[in-house]
Amino acid sequence: MSLLHVDRRSLRFRLFLWLGGVAFIAVAITWLLHGILLRELARDFLGDRLRQEAHYTLQRLHQEQSQVKPWLDSASLTSQMFHHLYVLRLDDTVSTSHPGWLSTLAPYLEGVDDTLLEVRRQERHLLLYREVFTLEDGTSGTLLIGEDFAEVEAGLTTLHWWVGGIAGLVLLLLITLNLVAVNAGLSPLARLQRQLDELREGYRERLRLDTPSELDGLVGQLNRFMDEQEKRLQRSRVAVANLSHALKTPLAAVTQVLRGSRPIDGERRLKLLARLEDMQAQLDAELRSSRIAGPYAGQLTCIRQEAERLIEMFATLHPDKRFHLDGPQDDRATVSVERQDFTEMLGIVLDNAGKWAQRDVHCRLSVTTTLKLVIEDDGPGVARADLAQLGRRGLRLDEGRPGHGLGLSILRQLVEQYGGHVTFAAAVAGGLAVTIVLPTAAARTNSSSGSG
């Protein structure tokens, strides 16, 4: 990708814009602060010099009080000791080294405190120090000592612009380094894109990337998504293979009977009907297995609402049985189980319990770090030795009841897809107790992170 290409939606452009903007603001603020601090430093330095000179002058004035008059003569050698502009007032007598400034500086003689002042007149900028004093003979006075600050400011301005030029070069260097850093930081995304392309073209089966830790979650999610897609594809292929194998022989038999010239009596008709019903059951079972969405379908199910709906339906199908539901009272309580998968799991167990129960079927739901479903009936139950075989495909412990031995097999497949487990035990009322435990999304994520 060209560095000169501008894509306002790209992460590279946004990072570069933000980092460049931050660098510009930092350099600009530093440059402005440099100008302010440099001026204040020069002002303090010159002010200190003026203060020292004022102290020295007043010290001499105190020592030479008997010769005060020459101090008031601006043309005298005594007054020449001043290296700067001065204005001296003793009582009502005022002398100055620059008479042209006297009218401007006269108001500052009225001040009562020692301070540093800035005086502007036209294009001139004067830094002025004022000190108020009293001689031993009671003579009061005010001394103003000033220096032209405009020349110093001009020098500082030149220096400041030189620093600005250097700051501009530093900013350009920072922007260049930012551009290099952004491109280096985003290089893992480019490698990820290449691997995704290889994955789509069939040159790769999984993403194996030495990524920064921030991308570990993304790569893990993509790999889990591909695992899930592969499992679904595998389930579909197995379902088609099973269906083909299961239907091939019955279909041939039915076709042969229908093509034969032998009359179809009542017994043969019942056999044909049984074969067709088996074929229908096989077809339904494989279709139900192929519809399993799995834990990464990204859907939530309101368990209370779905359980109530199923129990209402089975209560209608088995009007002589009583179905009881215990569980979360909050209708909005949800779990990260695909709705069709949840109703399939619970429906299989409730259907079996409805067939075998004498009177009552109890369904208990609870959600903590896992989703737990317990369904018990008061039917004849299952012998302890046979409990471990429940869920085996095609197993029917009682041929006297309708069924094809496929429901619990599908239940096991569903539960395994969600990383859970199903157990069968004797119920307190004497029937069968089925317990299904599924990890929640957070538990699955922690488990995946731990195993990764």
Side-chain angles (χ1 to χ4, degrees):
M1 183 178 293
S2 172
L3 296 180
L4 300 178
H5 175 68
V6 176
D7 181 2
R8 295 180 182 277
R9 294 176 55 248
S10 75
L11 185 59
R12 175 181 285 101
F13 176 78
R14 295 181 184 184
L15 286 173
F16 177 70
L17 187 65
W18 275 100
L19 292 175
V22 169
F24 174 79
I25 292 173
V27 171
I29 291 177
T30 302
W31 181 65
L32 292 175
L33 289 177
H34 168 266
I36 295 172
L37 293 176
L38 188 64
R39 184 185 182 282
E40 289 299 316
L41 183 64
R43 182 179 182 277
D44 291 344
F45 176 75
L46 291 179
D48 189 59
R49 283 180 51 190
L50 295 174
R51 187 182 300 108
Q52 291 179 8
E53 187 164 331
H55 290 168
Y56 174 72
T57 302
L58 292 177
Q59 185 179 7
R60 290 197 57 188
L61 189 59
H62 282 288
Q63 293 173 354
E64 302 173 7
Q65 289 187 53
S66 59
Q67 303 176 2
V68 168
K69 188 175 180 180
W71 286 85
L72 298 175
D73 184 1
S74 59
S76 69
L77 291 176
T78 304
S79 65
Q80 297 303 316
M81 62 168 292
F82 292 110
H83 299 151
H84 304 95
L85 178 150
Y86 83 90
V87 179
L88 177 62
R89 186 190 67 183
L90 290 174
D91 288 335
D92 296 330
T93 305
V94 177
S95 66
T96 179
S97 61
H98 293 71
W101 276 85
L102 186 56
S103 60
T104 302
L105 300 181
Y108 298 97
L109 292 172
E110 305 303 325
V112 295
D113 57 338
D114 301 341
T115 185
L116 188 65
L117 304 166
E118 291 189 41
V119 180
R120 296 180 184 275
R121 190 183 73 173
Q122 297 177 352
E123 300 299 328
R124 304 298 297 276
H125 183 193
L126 190 67
L127 193 62
L128 192 69
Y129 180 74
R130 178 180 64 205
E131 183 154 349
V132 181
F133 61 90
T134 302
L135 298 178
E136 292 180 358
D137 59 359
T139 304
S140 61
T142 302
L143 176 63
L144 301 179
I145 295 183
E147 182 171 346
D148 187 0
F149 197 52
E151 294 183 2
V152 177
E153 283 186 320
L156 293 178
T157 301
T158 302
L159 175 62
H160 188 48
W161 280 111
W162 271 104
V163 172
I166 296 173
L169 294 176
V170 171
L171 177 62
L172 185 62
L173 178 62
L174 285 176
I175 290 175
T176 304
L177 292 177
N178 283 340
L179 185 60
V180 174
V182 167
N183 279 286
L186 294 180
S187 60
L189 292 179
R191 293 199 298 272
L192 180 61
Q193 179 63 50
R194 285 196 297 271
Q195 292 204 5
L196 287 172
D197 291 340
E198 294 172 358
L199 194 69
R200 177 172 52 80
E201 295 169 357
Y203 294 107
R204 179 179 293 275
E205 294 183 353
R206 287 291 179 275
L207 297 175
R208 292 183 177 84
L209 192 61
D210 182 15
T211 59
S213 58
E214 288 82 359
L215 295 179
D216 288 349
L218 174 62
V219 174
Q221 289 285 353
L222 288 173
N223 280 330
R224 280 194 291 274
F225 176 75
M226 286 182 287
D227 289 341
E228 188 64 22
Q229 292 300 315
E230 185 174 331
K231 287 179 182 176
R232 290 185 185 182
L233 179 62
Q234 189 65 26
R235 282 203 305 271
S236 298
R237 289 172 174 170
V238 170
V240 171
N242 290 340
L243 202 57
S244 175
H245 178 73
L247 299 184
K248 184 177 180 181
T249 302
L251 276 175
V254 172
T255 303
Q256 184 178 6
V257 170
L258 294 177
R259 285 179 176 174
S261 57
R262 183 181 173 185
I264 303 176
D265 54 19
E267 182 180 357
R268 297 190 70 191
R269 182 177 292 105
L270 290 178
K271 289 182 178 178
L272 283 176
L273 183 60
R275 285 182 177 274
L276 289 173
E277 288 177 346
D278 286 341
M279 292 165 59
Q280 181 66 48
Q282 291 284 349
L283 183 61
D284 289 343
E286 298 302 340
L287 289 177
R288 290 161 71 182
S289 297
S290 66
R291 285 198 298 265
I292 296 175
Y296 300 106
Q299 294 188 18
L300 297 175
T301 298
C302 297
I303 54 175
R304 180 81 189 187
Q305 294 179 3
E306 295 301 327
E308 288 178 344
R309 189 178 63 80
L310 282 173
I311 283 181
E312 183 179 353
M313 183 182 71
F314 283 109
T316 303
L317 293 175
H318 305 282
D320 56 331
K321 312 292 172 58
R322 294 183 301 192
F323 288 81
H324 310 274
L325 175 63
D326 296 318
Q329 296 302 314
D330 185 2
D331 291 342
R332 295 171 298 180
T334 58
V335 293
S336 57
V337 178
E338 200 269 339
R339 175 178 169 274
Q340 184 69 33
D341 291 350
F342 178 79
T343 57
E344 187 73 35
M345 279 187 275
L346 188 56
I348 290 172
V349 186
L350 287 175
D351 187 33
N352 278 347
K355 290 177 183 176
W356 294 97
Q358 292 183 357
R359 186 62 181 169
D360 294 308
V361 175
H362 292 273
C363 176
R364 294 193 297 274
L365 310 176
S366 62
V367 181
T368 54
T369 56
T370 60
L371 168 64
K372 186 176 182 180
L373 301 89
V374 180
I375 297 92
E376 295 180 325
D377 64 74
D378 58 353
V382 178
R384 186 178 300 275
D386 294 331
L387 288 174
Q389 301 182 50
L390 289 176
R392 198 177 69 190
R393 185 181 178 86
L395 174 67
R396 294 187 62 193
L397 298 178
D398 188 346
E399 302 287 344
R401 300 292 179 98
H404 299 84
L406 299 173
L408 294 183
S409 171
I410 296 174
L411 174 64
R412 281 193 181 277
Q413 291 183 44
L414 271 165
V415 173
E416 289 172 359
Q417 284 295 317
Y418 283 85
H421 61 272
V422 54
T423 56
F424 303 97
V428 176
L432 180 65
V434 182
T435 302
I436 301 171
V437 178
L438 302 177
T440 60
R444 286 196 297 269
T445 301
N446 293 335
S447 176
S448 299
S449 301
S451 61

